[in-house]
Amino acid sequence: MSKQHPIVAVTGSSGAGTSTVKRAFEHIFRREGINPAVIEGDSYHRFDRMTMKVKMAEATAANRTFSHFGPESNIFKKLEETFLSYGETGMGERRYYLHSPEEAAEQNQRLGTALKPGEFTPWEPFPANTDLLFYEGLHGGVKGDSYDVARLVDLLIGVVPIVNLEWIQKIHRDNAERGYSAQTIVETILRRMPDYINHICPQFSETHINFQRVPTVDTSNPFIRRDIPTPDESFVIIHFRRGVKEQFAIEPTYLLQMIPDSFMSSPTSLVVNGGKMGFAMELILTPIIHRMIEEKKMAA
């Protein structure tokens, strides 16, 4: 962990809603005039889209566990090295995974390349003089025998809807944005389950704060539900790891006063209406980011 070059990471599985937290941080950065170096978890996949399909077919034929969630298909050591380098020097390398034709066109214009969707841009240095490093993706707190990313993060946020809601969000996203059939999406969920249990879930014991959305409508069968429960049809449980409230000077009484109808369900868990999730995030996270920037100035 570094006071001079702080690292913030948002981690959660595919369909969890990490983009919601990312937007909250973007609002904070823009409003407070903070200049982040931004990296995406997809950049640390080991294989481009075409190669991944080949590797997936090979693993399926061999009846072997293989998914984007696991260590075989990611370069966790490179992610650890990136965090370590930034924490020590404020510099490092990043690249982009091109999800769409629009992203490919944007990066090709910037770099003078002819890359296709599903490919990576070349590694390139971070911009100089950034205020902090911001990561959003699957593995912001991943740990294993030869790597420990979580230990290098100054503020680690988990996004963890209950699993039925997570599946509903993934099914709807993959169908609407990628045109995947319901059967294909279910097969993907089943294939990823061992890696989800072994490499995604353990991260949420390393996080400083978890945001878990819990629907208040029936989601018993996520594979037939036709719509995603709205924020107002949900509660959000905000869990603080023991000692985190003291570490980041979080005052629950203030939060209870500021967030209507919120309550403490345990000494470490604040419950808010789902429609207040973005407001609660900014209320909690803005002072923490302020504190990081002030400590950075003092350490300079």
Side-chain angles (χ1 to χ4, degrees), residues 32-51:
E32 305 300 327
I34 293 168
N35 177 31
V38 179
I39 55 176
E40 299 175 349
D42 289 355
S43 304
Y44 294 87
H45 289 334
R46 191 179 301 276
F47 308 113
D48 63 25
R49 188 176 296 167
M50 292 302 296
T51 307

Side-chain angles (χ1 to χ4, degrees), residues 11-230:
T11 193
S13 74
S14 177
T18 55
S19 57
T20 302
V21 187
K22 181 181 179 181
R23 284 194 295 272
F25 273 108
E26 288 172 346
H27 293 162
I28 295 170
F29 296 154
R30 183 167 55 251
R31 187 173 62 243
E32 305 300 327
I34 293 168
N35 177 31
V38 179
I39 55 176
E40 299 175 349
D42 289 355
S43 304
Y44 294 87
H45 289 334
R46 191 179 301 276
F47 308 113
D48 63 25
R49 188 176 296 167
M50 292 302 296
T51 307
M52 186 66 180
K53 288 181 179 179
V54 173
K55 297 292 184 181
M56 192 78 69
E58 293 174 351
T60 300
N63 197 27
R64 189 163 47 82
T65 298
F66 187 76
S67 78
H68 277 123
F69 289 174
E72 283 188 78
S73 56
N74 291 279
I75 42 177
F76 292 151
K77 284 297 293 182
K78 177 68 173 179
L79 179 59
E80 182 184 50
E81 289 166 6
T82 301
F83 281 15
L84 184 62
S85 173
Y86 189 88
E88 292 178 348
T89 68
M91 292 299 294
E93 289 186 324
R94 68 179 176 187
R95 67 178 178 180
Y96 297 94
Y97 177 80
L98 304 176
H99 297 87
S100 65
E102 292 76 18
E103 289 184 12
E106 178 184 351
Q107 294 298 329
N108 284 333
Q109 183 177 16
R110 183 177 70 88
L111 297 169
T113 52
L115 298 166
K116 300 181 180 68
E119 296 180 339
F120 298 101
T121 64
W123 292 102
E124 55 187 307
F126 287 146
N129 302 316
T130 56
D131 295 314
L132 55 80
L133 176 62
F134 180 77
Y135 167 98
E136 182 259 334
L138 296 171
H139 298 110
V142 72
K143 294 176 67 173
D145 292 338
S146 62
Y147 50 85
D148 185 350
V149 173
R151 70 185 173 89
L152 301 170
V153 182
D154 297 276
L155 176 62
L156 181 58
I157 303 295
V159 186
V160 203
I162 64 168
V163 71
N164 277 21
L165 176 58
E166 184 175 312
W167 289 345
I168 290 170
Q169 292 180 158
K170 177 173 176 54
I171 289 166
H172 279 255
R173 187 200 65 180
D174 285 2
N175 178 260
E177 297 181 8
R178 303 176 183 178
Y180 293 172
S181 68
Q183 180 180 350
T184 299
I185 298 167
V186 171
E187 289 172 354
T188 299
I189 290 171
L190 290 172
R191 173 172 44 79
R192 289 177 169 180
M193 189 55 63
D195 284 335
Y196 180 89
I197 292 169
N198 291 314
H199 304 291
I200 300 296
C201 286
Q203 296 180 96
F204 304 120
S205 297
E206 304 295 329
T207 46
H208 296 101
I209 306 172
N210 285 329
F211 292 87
Q212 183 173 38
R213 189 153 79 94
V214 180
T216 55
V217 294
D218 181 37
T219 61
S220 302
N221 187 346
F223 305 108
I224 64 169
R225 188 173 174 90
R226 295 181 178 274
D227 55 358
I228 300 173
T230 67

